[in-house]
Amino acid sequence: MLILIQLLLAHLLTDFVLQPNSWIKHKRKYKVKSYFLIIHALLAGVLTVLFLQKLEWWYIGLIISSTHFLIDWWKLNQKKDNLKYFILDQLFHLIIIVMVWLYLINGFSNILPFLKEFFNSTTILAVVGAYLFVIFPAGFLIGKATKKWQNEIKETQNKNSLDDAGRYIGIFERILGTHLYSYK
């Protein structure tokens, strides 16, 4: 598990802490020609090797750098920079990180037993079901219950850039509430 945490921390630092807005703007403007795209991808690989603390795993840094470059390049070529592409971008990075982790721990043979245990666990399925419930049906129910006030707001105000903000805030609140309640 330590290796997975190391890989995730290297990614979080690369994508969220050590990437200034000026790099992001430069990458969006120049796309694959942006030298910050190359620096950013190299940083992902270097931090990975530093966190893993094993120089003999230098090729893991190369894999992370290469795939980070390709994923970010893909994202830069999308017509919009929105939540959908942000989530896909991070999902692709996480898939690579998990694949690298499984490779390093020789864990590929454990995938099928894990999935079998996952789908046969009442506790795990109940937790997943609870999260799915608070994200989707509960949001729909809240939307229906507050429809009167939504209509009143629409009649008195023009739409603004925060059209769906309440929906996402509500989802995050319900996830947080469910998570905190589960530790009670």
Side-chain angles (χ1 to χ4, degrees), residues 115-129:
L115 289 174
K116 184 177 179 184
E117 182 181 331
F118 180 89
F119 286 110
N120 288 315
S121 169
T122 304
T123 304
I124 291 173
L125 291 178
V127 169
V128 169

Side-chain angles (χ1 to χ4, degrees), residues 134-151 154 166-167 170-171 174:
V134 300
I135 292 170
F136 298 108
F140 182 76
L141 179 64
I142 291 167
K144 289 292 186 188
T146 60
K147 189 73 170 166
K148 173 186 171 192
W149 297 289
Q150 291 174 32
N151 290 338
K154 285 180 186 176
R167 176 175 178 253
I171 288 171
R174 292 190 301 277

Side-chain angles (χ1 to χ4, degrees), residues 132-178:
L132 289 174
F133 176 76
V134 300
I135 292 170
F136 298 108
F140 182 76
L141 179 64
I142 291 167
K144 289 292 186 188
T146 60
K147 189 73 170 166
K148 173 186 171 192
W149 297 289
Q150 291 174 32
N151 290 338
E152 288 177 13
I153 291 171
K154 285 180 186 176
E155 290 172 6
T156 60
Q157 295 180 340
N158 292 331
K159 291 196 169 222
N160 62 31
S161 63
L162 297 177
D163 286 339
D164 288 331
R167 176 175 178 253
Y168 291 110
I169 290 168
I171 288 171
F172 293 131
E173 285 175 340
R174 292 190 301 277
I175 290 171
L176 182 61
T178 302

Side-chain angles (χ1 to χ4, degrees), residues 99-111:
M99 298 292 281
V100 165
W101 171 61
L102 289 171
Y103 168 78
L104 289 173
I105 66 163
N106 295 316
F108 285 107
S109 61
N110 297 327
I111 292 174

Side-chain angles (χ1 to χ4, degrees), residues 72-89:
D72 282 11
W73 181 24
W74 166 83
K75 184 182 175 200
L76 290 169
N77 285 298
Q78 302 310 307
K79 291 181 181 172
K80 293 182 178 180
D81 183 23
N82 57 24
L83 180 63
K84 172 185 163 184
Y85 290 117
F86 171 78
I87 290 171
L88 285 172
D89 169 71

